[in-house]
Amino acid sequence: MSIQMERSVKDRSLLGLKSLSRFEIESILNRAAHWDEQHVKVQNVLKDKFVANMFFENSTRTRCSFEVAEKRLGAEVINFSTSASSVEKGESIYDTVRTLESMGMDAGVIRLKPIGLLEQIAERVKMPLINAGDGNNEHPTQALLDLYTMRKHFGQLDGLHVAIVGDIEHSRVARSNLYALRKFGANVSFCAPDNMRAHDLDAPYVTMGEALQADVVMMLRVQLERHESEVMHSTEAYRAEYGLTLERVAQMKKHAIIMHPAPVNRNVEIDDEVVEAESARIFEQMANGVPVRMAVLERALV
Ligand code: CP
């Protein structure tokens, strides 16, 4: 007789990659590859399941690709937007999540600013929660789609040199990528001006010239909205020192790829012509977000 183990809400949730094992991450990537190969657009895997997309911070890619993923799996989708909600009247994020849970949601996708709040909410609700980006802490599904994109191009992640360039301090993408890539034996380095370095992370900082010798050059957006003081004298000065220009692309290795989680500041951290260059994978990353999020939703709900 086989004993089916009931997976806990905690095991179905995805709050970050720091605490996930390599095996768990690999399972999600493998399942994403399965969904990537499906030609039937809508399946009934999540039929009769209700998923709430709760975005307390703006988003285009993450919000839309979660919605596409949910609809492709046949789920019922509730889109919650802060500006049209009672949050504007002072309702807390916790009360909003509990409200949607009480209406029968089976899972919640959530993006929010305050660091640490997601873990507290997850302790108190009974539906699985998926982190769609919390402050500068983690953005697990972005890093999963980044790993998926790298694995698809290089075949494996082990030994890959990934240089992450830009506003590391405010980047949840850099954190989730660092935590996940290290589990696969990838070599991660950062490149950033002094006032954009993250002192809580122990990856080595390299020069821009060294970063250009990586297998993956991942550019980050300068997140002006998260900086309390002025971070750069001018966008031209930032581009001159840290921007991925056509001249710098010419210095990269022939097999290397360019990534960026987007949105991009064209002609600041990355030049206009580079965004859609042959070696750029930026729009492919967005496309890969759908099968990756299908795998994460399936893990949460099936
Ligand atoms: N990469 C990313 O998280 O983009 P959005 O903010 O548009 O979701």
Side-chain angles (χ1 to χ4, degrees), residues 58-63 111 132 139 142 172-173 261-263 293:
N58 292 347
S59 167
T60 297
R61 277 145 290 275
T62 313
R63 186 172 56 79
R111 170 173 287 193
H139 193 348
Q142 175 68 46
R172 52 197 178 206
V173 175
R293 288 176 174 125

Side-chain angles (χ1 to χ4, degrees), residues 46-61:
L46 298 186
K47 189 176 179 300
D48 300 330
K49 301 284 186 189
F50 281 70
V51 183
N53 296 322
M54 301 172 283
F55 281 71
F56 298 91
E57 194 185 89
N58 292 347
S59 167
T60 297
R61 277 145 290 275

